[in-house]
mmCIF file of all heavy atoms in Angstrom:
data_model
loop_
_atom_site.group_PDB
_atom_site.id
_atom_site.type_symbol
_atom_site.label_atom_id
_atom_site.label_comp_id
_atom_site.label_asym_id
_atom_site.label_seq_id
_atom_site.Cartn_x
_atom_site.Cartn_y
_atom_site.Cartn_z
ATOM 1 N N PHE L 130 -59.184 20.220 34.082
ATOM 2 C CA PHE L 130 -57.930 19.662 34.583
ATOM 3 C C PHE L 130 -56.961 19.585 33.413
ATOM 4 O O PHE L 130 -57.298 19.060 32.349
ATOM 5 C CB PHE L 130 -58.147 18.268 35.179
ATOM 6 C CG PHE L 130 -56.894 17.640 35.725
ATOM 7 C CD1 PHE L 130 -56.420 17.996 36.983
ATOM 8 C CD2 PHE L 130 -56.171 16.720 34.985
ATOM 9 C CE1 PHE L 130 -55.261 17.430 37.497
ATOM 10 C CE2 PHE L 130 -55.012 16.148 35.488
ATOM 11 C CZ PHE L 130 -54.555 16.505 36.747
ATOM 12 N N CYS L 131 -55.749 20.123 33.600
ATOM 13 C CA CYS L 131 -54.779 20.206 32.511
ATOM 14 C C CYS L 131 -53.495 19.467 32.884
ATOM 15 O O CYS L 131 -52.968 19.647 33.987
ATOM 16 C CB CYS L 131 -54.426 21.665 32.201
ATOM 17 S SG CYS L 131 -55.866 22.739 31.976
ATOM 18 N N LYS L 132 -52.992 18.678 31.957
ATOM 19 C CA LYS L 132 -51.694 18.007 32.138
ATOM 20 C C LYS L 132 -50.672 18.691 31.245
ATOM 21 O O LYS L 132 -50.816 18.732 30.025
ATOM 22 C CB LYS L 132 -51.784 16.526 31.775
ATOM 23 C CG LYS L 132 -50.461 15.771 31.936
ATOM 24 C CD LYS L 132 -50.650 14.298 31.585
ATOM 25 C CE LYS L 132 -49.381 13.489 31.909
ATOM 26 N NZ LYS L 132 -48.268 13.797 31.008
ATOM 27 N N LEU L 133 -49.613 19.252 31.889
ATOM 28 C CA LEU L 133 -48.564 19.905 31.122
ATOM 29 C C LEU L 133 -47.482 18.921 30.725
ATOM 30 O O LEU L 133 -47.078 18.852 29.570
ATOM 31 C CB LEU L 133 -47.959 21.070 31.910
ATOM 32 C CG LEU L 133 -48.695 22.412 31.825
ATOM 33 C CD1 LEU L 133 -50.106 22.310 32.405
ATOM 34 C CD2 LEU L 133 -47.909 23.511 32.521
ATOM 35 N N ASP L 134 -46.956 18.189 31.704
ATOM 36 C CA ASP L 134 -46.000 17.120 31.409
ATOM 37 C C ASP L 134 -46.067 16.111 32.546
ATOM 38 O O ASP L 134 -47.080 16.021 33.245
ATOM 39 C CB ASP L 134 -44.582 17.655 31.157
ATOM 40 C CG ASP L 134 -43.979 18.375 32.354
ATOM 41 O OD1 ASP L 134 -44.405 18.102 33.490
ATOM 42 O OD2 ASP L 134 -43.071 19.206 32.159
ATOM 43 N N GLU L 135 -44.987 15.355 32.749
ATOM 44 C CA GLU L 135 -45.046 14.222 33.660
ATOM 45 C C GLU L 135 -45.357 14.599 35.101
ATOM 46 O O GLU L 135 -45.966 13.819 35.840
ATOM 47 C CB GLU L 135 -43.716 13.456 33.602
ATOM 48 C CG GLU L 135 -43.747 12.131 34.337
ATOM 49 C CD GLU L 135 -42.495 11.326 34.077
ATOM 50 O OE1 GLU L 135 -41.741 11.651 33.135
ATOM 51 O OE2 GLU L 135 -42.280 10.369 34.823
ATOM 52 N N ASN L 136 -44.976 15.793 35.536
ATOM 53 C CA ASN L 136 -45.222 16.156 36.937
ATOM 54 C C ASN L 136 -45.830 17.543 37.120
ATOM 55 O O ASN L 136 -45.904 18.037 38.240
ATOM 56 C CB ASN L 136 -43.908 16.077 37.739
ATOM 57 C CG ASN L 136 -42.955 17.203 37.382
ATOM 58 O OD1 ASN L 136 -42.850 17.592 36.217
ATOM 59 N ND2 ASN L 136 -42.253 17.734 38.361
ATOM 60 N N LYS L 137 -46.299 18.166 36.043
ATOM 61 C CA LYS L 137 -46.855 19.514 36.137
ATOM 62 C C LYS L 137 -48.288 19.532 35.605
ATOM 63 O O LYS L 137 -48.558 19.030 34.508
ATOM 64 C CB LYS L 137 -45.977 20.517 35.370
ATOM 65 C CG LYS L 137 -44.644 20.774 36.054
ATOM 66 C CD LYS L 137 -43.849 21.849 35.354
ATOM 67 C CE LYS L 137 -43.101 21.331 34.153
ATOM 68 N NZ LYS L 137 -42.164 22.317 33.597
ATOM 69 N N TYR L 138 -49.172 20.129 36.409
ATOM 70 C CA TYR L 138 -50.598 20.131 36.097
ATOM 71 C C TYR L 138 -51.185 21.500 36.424
ATOM 72 O O TYR L 138 -50.597 22.283 37.165
ATOM 73 C CB TYR L 138 -51.328 19.056 36.906
ATOM 74 C CG TYR L 138 -50.724 17.676 36.786
ATOM 75 C CD1 TYR L 138 -49.703 17.271 37.659
ATOM 76 C CD2 TYR L 138 -51.154 16.790 35.815
ATOM 77 C CE1 TYR L 138 -49.140 16.009 37.547
ATOM 78 C CE2 TYR L 138 -50.593 15.525 35.696
ATOM 79 C CZ TYR L 138 -49.581 15.142 36.566
ATOM 80 O OH TYR L 138 -49.013 13.891 36.453
ATOM 81 N N VAL L 139 -52.381 21.760 35.899
ATOM 82 C CA VAL L 139 -53.113 22.977 36.220
ATOM 83 C C VAL L 139 -54.565 22.606 36.493
ATOM 84 O O VAL L 139 -55.175 21.845 35.741
ATOM 85 C CB VAL L 139 -53.049 24.010 35.076
ATOM 86 C CG1 VAL L 139 -54.027 25.156 35.323
ATOM 87 C CG2 VAL L 139 -51.638 24.566 34.924
ATOM 88 N N ILE L 140 -55.098 23.132 37.590
ATOM 89 C CA ILE L 140 -56.521 23.024 37.885
ATOM 90 C C ILE L 140 -57.149 24.384 37.612
ATOM 91 O O ILE L 140 -56.645 25.409 38.057
ATOM 92 C CB ILE L 140 -56.769 22.636 39.353
ATOM 93 C CG1 ILE L 140 -56.150 21.269 39.671
ATOM 94 C CG2 ILE L 140 -58.265 22.607 39.660
ATOM 95 C CD1 ILE L 140 -56.170 20.926 41.158
ATOM 96 N N VAL L 141 -58.250 24.395 36.875
ATOM 97 C CA VAL L 141 -58.974 25.626 36.568
ATOM 98 C C VAL L 141 -60.382 25.512 37.141
ATOM 99 O O VAL L 141 -61.015 24.453 37.033
ATOM 100 C CB VAL L 141 -59.037 25.866 35.040
ATOM 101 C CG1 VAL L 141 -59.883 27.091 34.721
ATOM 102 C CG2 VAL L 141 -57.636 26.027 34.468
ATOM 103 N N GLY L 142 -60.876 26.590 37.746
ATOM 104 C CA GLY L 142 -62.248 26.584 38.236
ATOM 105 C C GLY L 142 -62.432 27.445 39.461
ATOM 106 O O GLY L 142 -61.499 28.090 39.949
ATOM 107 N N SER L 143 -63.641 27.437 39.969
ATOM 108 C CA SER L 143 -63.979 28.209 41.167
ATOM 109 C C SER L 143 -64.015 27.284 42.382
ATOM 110 O O SER L 143 -64.332 26.097 42.263
ATOM 111 C CB SER L 143 -65.338 28.881 41.001
ATOM 112 O OG SER L 143 -65.335 29.750 39.887
#
Side-chain angles (χ1 to χ4, degrees):
F130 181 80
C131 310
K132 180 179 187 290
L133 276 63
D134 62 24
E135 189 171 345
N136 72 322
K137 289 185 278 189
Y138 307 88
V139 169
I140 299 171
V141 176
S143 301

